[in-house]
Amino acid sequence: MDSRVDETVHMIFLCKFVNSSSSANKRYKAQLLKDIIIAICAMLNSNGGKVVLYNKCTCQLSGISLLIRVLEQSLISIIGSNQTISKINFKEDIECMVILVKKADYLVTTNYNIYLPSQSQVVQISPWEPLEKIKDDIINRRVVPEPVQLDSHCRIFLKGKNCDFHENKMVMFKNLKADQSKRTKLADRMTGKGNKFSCYVSAFANYNGGHMYFGIRDDGVVEGEVIPNEDISEIIKKVEKAINKMMWPEQIGQPKRGEHWEIFFEPVVDENSNVIPSTFVIVIYIAPCLGGVFTEEPECYEMVEGKIEKMSFVTWKKRELQLDGVDIPAAVQRIEWSSSATERHCTKAREVLMMAINNGKWEIFSKYAKPFEDKFPEVEVKLMVLSRRVVASYRQGRLYKARLLFDDYEKLLSKANDLFIFEVIYLCLKAALKGAEKKFEAVRELLESALLKGNQLTPGIVTAVTLSCAAMYQNSGLNEDGPSSAELSRKVLEHLKYAPRSQEQVDMEHKAYIFLATFHLGYDMSGKIIKKHVNQSSLETAKSSLMALNKSVCSGYSLSRYREVQFNLVKSTLYYRYAQVNPEKNEVFLEEAFQFSKKAQHLARASNFGEMVTWANVSVALYTEKLVLASLGKMDRVTKIYVP
């Protein structure tokens, strides 16, 4: 990084700053200080330079010292103490002060103009906030775990009474002053900077969404806003204008009312439940938004041909965030279960039955499957049990029975209230059955549809399973333009963070680590080689994934029998790859590979995991052959040494 001081010079006259302390000059001083900071930051973002502050009025040294202290404090709040000390140097005399500026190690932004909510207010993201955290938590986020839904706001407001909810990260109260004039109407005061309207819009959009309630005091007491009917349209226009003026992601363009925001005028009633004329609580809904919402363009400056220029938003995004070409979903529309009871019953059935399936406990599976169908009246529970019956038959290699059960699932599907969720499960099941028939083009199309639909569901086990299904087949090259198996597996781990900790969630986590290791070892999840050779770096990456799995096991989350089979097969593959890259230890590593594959074979047969038995058999045969060849090669070398 070039850290020299360029010859670029920017001059500022600061007489009033140090010679006058009257209140009349406070705004002038603040602007002058801002100008100096902008000049310094512009040079930090370019090749450095000099900011010369001329003291025309021969001010006292105490005034200069004060200025240096204020500047240092301001710069530390923007670029931190390390950059301030290493990149900024002050030289002063009676006539002027020279600020020597070296090029910064990164792009300096003086104000992000982006907000997040806290429990009781909104917080502006500081320029000194780690950029990676902003990118991960706001700009590049892909999942909103619990988005605030449109029409979910409170609608009953009793004058003078406390509402039954409080301010939090998704709720803001504001009771505007009663005075109103021709110059400042209610609409102006609502959307003005003094009430931080755009700050709350940014904060809610960058989090889970939220509601602003105008007409409720900070303590939660309902006052209401007095609004003549003719003013309602003016308020809507001003709110829309304020929201549209903000900086929204390119994928959204201009935010749409009814999708990205909405406004409601809820009547306030008296103690007798009579509507109070022209008195409302104004509720403004803000939807969560992926990609980052700014109140205005971030403030970032650079030197262009010796002049200070503000960097355009497009240029800033490319340089600061490297967002050129990044695909960010435009909106967050998450579909949830129709009722918490149905979700709870389906989750219980799925967890119990999957635990039996993953451990090869087929008698236990049969014991619990029918009672779940009989106990709970919901069609969704019956569909969940049917889907697990399909999985159980598939795992045992009983594909004909799996297809018959799948037909039953398909017939019942249309009766579900939670149709969308079970359509995603349907697509995954169908893809697995088509995969068994080697109809990979159909598999690709089905999984593309499953991922598309799954992206509209609330993140959790169902979405993780969908991503996992796609990861399983992606290694086979079904969609070379799509995300890799490793990328999909990492998304699985991300979605699992939003699922409650359970044996099923842990099992899915173990599965993702196994997929990651298998991918880096150059195999797919059927044991088929997709890369003839892998390098040492890939081996280390695969090893890291297996170590992460081991860490989970050591933390008390044991492997299910099915994952234990897969784990042993992946370890056998790892040692086989070690044998390839370390020919001098070929036999040692092949023997380890053989032993792990034999263990997997034994476990798979004992648990009647048909698909895993096939993989294990192929592995055992391969390593047996390689060991024999290695032994023959060794004998041949010995013969050449001792036979004349």
Side-chain angles (χ1 to χ4, degrees), residues 634-644:
K634 186 176 180 180
M635 289 176 62
D636 186 51
R637 288 194 298 273
V638 171
T639 301
K640 287 180 179 179
I641 293 172
Y642 290 101
V643 177

Side-chain angles (χ1 to χ4, degrees), residues 251-484:
Q251 305 77 235
I252 289 178
Q254 185 167 295
K256 302 177 184 64
R257 182 180 176 184
E259 181 178 350
H260 303 109
W261 69 277
E262 187 55 274
I263 184 169
F264 304 88
F265 295 84
E266 302 295 351
V268 176
V269 299
D270 60 22
E271 57 186 6
N272 297 317
S273 297
N274 296 317
V275 173
I276 301 174
S278 302
T279 305
F280 302 89
V281 168
I282 306 171
V283 184
I284 297 177
Y285 164 76
I286 303 298
C289 177
L290 303 180
V293 176
F294 300 76
T295 56
E296 55 186 293
E297 288 189 359
E299 294 178 37
C300 185
Y301 301 88
E302 60 183 337
M303 301 300 296
V304 179
E305 297 180 355
K307 296 181 179 180
I308 298 171
E309 288 192 6
K310 185 177 180 181
M311 193 176 292
S312 71
F313 190 40
V314 173
T315 303
W316 179 83
K317 283 195 296 183
K318 287 181 179 179
R319 286 188 59 182
E320 182 79 296
L321 302 174
Q322 291 86 47
L323 289 181
D324 192 24
V326 173
D327 179 27
I328 298 174
V332 182
Q333 298 289 334
R334 301 296 179 190
I335 296 172
E336 298 183 345
W337 290 84
S338 59
S339 79
S340 57
T342 300
E343 180 184 13
R344 190 167 60 252
H345 297 158
C346 286
T347 299
K348 182 66 175 177
R350 187 186 63 232
E351 287 181 350
V352 170
L353 296 178
M354 281 308 301
M355 190 180 298
I357 290 171
N358 287 330
N359 285 293
K361 305 293 185 181
W362 307 117
E363 290 182 2
I364 293 177
F365 177 87
S366 300
K367 177 182 176 182
Y368 284 104
K370 189 67 168 66
F372 273 121
E373 292 174 316
D374 296 339
K375 181 178 179 180
F376 300 109
E378 299 102 320
V379 172
E380 286 78 6
V381 177
K382 291 177 172 55
L383 282 168
M384 184 59 74
V385 174
L386 262 176
S387 70
R388 298 313 94 183
R389 289 186 186 276
V390 174
V391 173
S393 297
Y394 180 89
R395 287 274 181 91
Q396 296 174 83
R398 301 162 67 184
L399 297 179
Y400 179 74
K401 184 175 182 180
R403 292 187 187 99
L404 292 177
L405 290 165
F406 178 77
D407 290 341
D408 293 339
Y409 181 99
E410 190 173 25
K411 292 173 185 175
L412 190 61
L413 181 60
S414 61
K415 298 180 181 180
N417 290 323
D418 294 292
L419 181 62
F420 203 92
I421 293 172
F422 285 91
E423 279 182 342
V424 173
I425 297 172
Y426 166 85
L427 291 167
C428 291
L429 292 173
K430 191 171 184 179
L433 293 174
K434 291 295 181 183
E437 298 171 7
K438 310 297 183 185
K439 296 180 179 179
F440 294 121
E441 182 60 31
V443 172
R444 183 186 64 78
E445 292 176 359
L446 288 165
L447 289 176
E448 282 183 357
S449 297
L451 287 172
L452 189 64
K453 285 179 175 288
N455 194 45
Q456 299 178 59
L457 298 178
T458 300
I461 290 292
V462 175
T463 58
V465 168
T466 307
L467 290 162
S468 185
C469 287
M472 178 182 292
Y473 288 99
Q474 186 62 21
N475 272 8
S476 302
L478 296 182
N479 185 8
E480 294 180 358
D481 297 328
S484 69

